[in-house]
Amino acid sequence: MKVLLFLMMMALSVQETSAQQPNATDVLGAAQKANKYFMTKHADPTLPTNVGRIRPSSLWTRAVYYEGLMALYDIDPRQEYIDYTDRWANHHQWTARNGIKTTDADDQCCQQTYIDRYVMTKDNRMIEHVKENLENQMNTGKIGYWTWIDAIQMAMPVYSKMYRVTGDRRYIDHAMKMYTWSRDTCGGGLFNTAEGLWWRDADYVPPYKEKDGQNCYWSRGSGWVYAALVKVMTDIGRKDKYYKQLKRDFILMSEALLKCQREDGLWNPSLVSPVTYGGKELTGTALFLYGMSWGINNKILKAKKYKAACDRAWKAMVNDCMHPDGFLGYVQGTGKDPSAGQPVTYTKTPDFEDYGTGCFLLGATEYYKLIKK
């Protein structure tokens, strides 16, 4: 009798554990819900944004959304996603914000999606202005453009994607020079290899400290770099001479991020100093989920060590941040450090919603691939 009771309890425990585990169908459904909310709210993708002032919808916040949409299309290939993307890109004439002469990474971010669409169509019209823009920047001879770490995500994948579609190594060579300058030279080096995290820009390198004496590491800032490493390594492949360096940085970041995940599965805006702007935050969490899931999927990170962190992050993103209609809470507004857009809450609408949805979609789609196996 005792044996039978024990077996029944074990079976019930297994069922409960199984029921608690996210499944791929639910993950896809959540991604679709978040995207539908955004596309419904912003039915005309050509309209400019109006937050403080009018800006074209090719600005970086919207460009990050399209990065997420392209990732969603990869696992959920719906024509409406392509139509929505092409209407936006055609309106902006497949050109960087502020024209082909711009060297600002925020302006260049939209070109990631232009190249993604070129890969699908082989329509040269989609990348001819991208080539002009990158040629213009490379011809300046300057490498010290990425003075803030967000820029690494905004622009480095533009270069790696262009290398991937053309085979022209000038693109990836130049991108790596700019990355290395940001990593090792800007402000004395923005990547603290001893702690595996990045200072957002030269304003935050030592002697700057938070109130509790800790370094200031901004969640979404490190998230941008983490996402960029994923994209660039994907583009160049394991045999490329730069892969080992990027992989080493990726692993250092992964180990550091794992240590500062909150018990509820999210990450604080201030990664190691919760006394200064601790609390739930979606965008950094989504980018970390994106990177960790990719790392497991590509056998760089061990599932035994990182899978549970991914599961916790996803559950928290859905249970704590997503509203029934697809609106995403706990999205920190634009800025440059943990104090930006505070307080970050479940019901607060950030100044820009689009990049929050983009980050969510990146995390959701890579996690979907992880658990669908």
Side-chain angles (χ1 to χ4, degrees), residues 49-55 351-352:
T49 63
N50 186 7
V51 179
R53 61 185 173 87
I54 299 294
R55 297 176 177 86
D351 50 1
F352 293 88

Side-chain angles (χ1 to χ4, degrees), residues 164-200:
R164 186 176 185 178
V165 300
T166 66
D168 188 339
R169 288 207 61 86
R170 292 181 307 130
Y171 294 117
I172 193 60
D173 288 343
H174 195 76
M176 285 300 299
K177 289 177 183 178
M178 291 194 284
Y179 172 78
T180 303
W181 179 86
S182 300
R183 181 190 190 277
D184 301 335
T185 302
C186 181
L190 297 180
F191 187 36
N192 184 357
T193 55
E195 296 190 358
L197 298 169
W198 292 71
W199 291 292
R200 196 271 182 177

Side-chain angles (χ1 to χ4, degrees), residues 100 145 188 204 300:
I100 61 174
Y145 283 108
Y204 299 95
I300 295 175

Side-chain angles (χ1 to χ4, degrees), residues 151-165:
I152 297 172
Q153 192 287 143
M154 304 303 160
M156 193 174 182
V158 179
Y159 277 90
S160 64
K161 287 173 183 289
M162 186 58 74
Y163 162 64
R164 186 176 185 178
V165 300

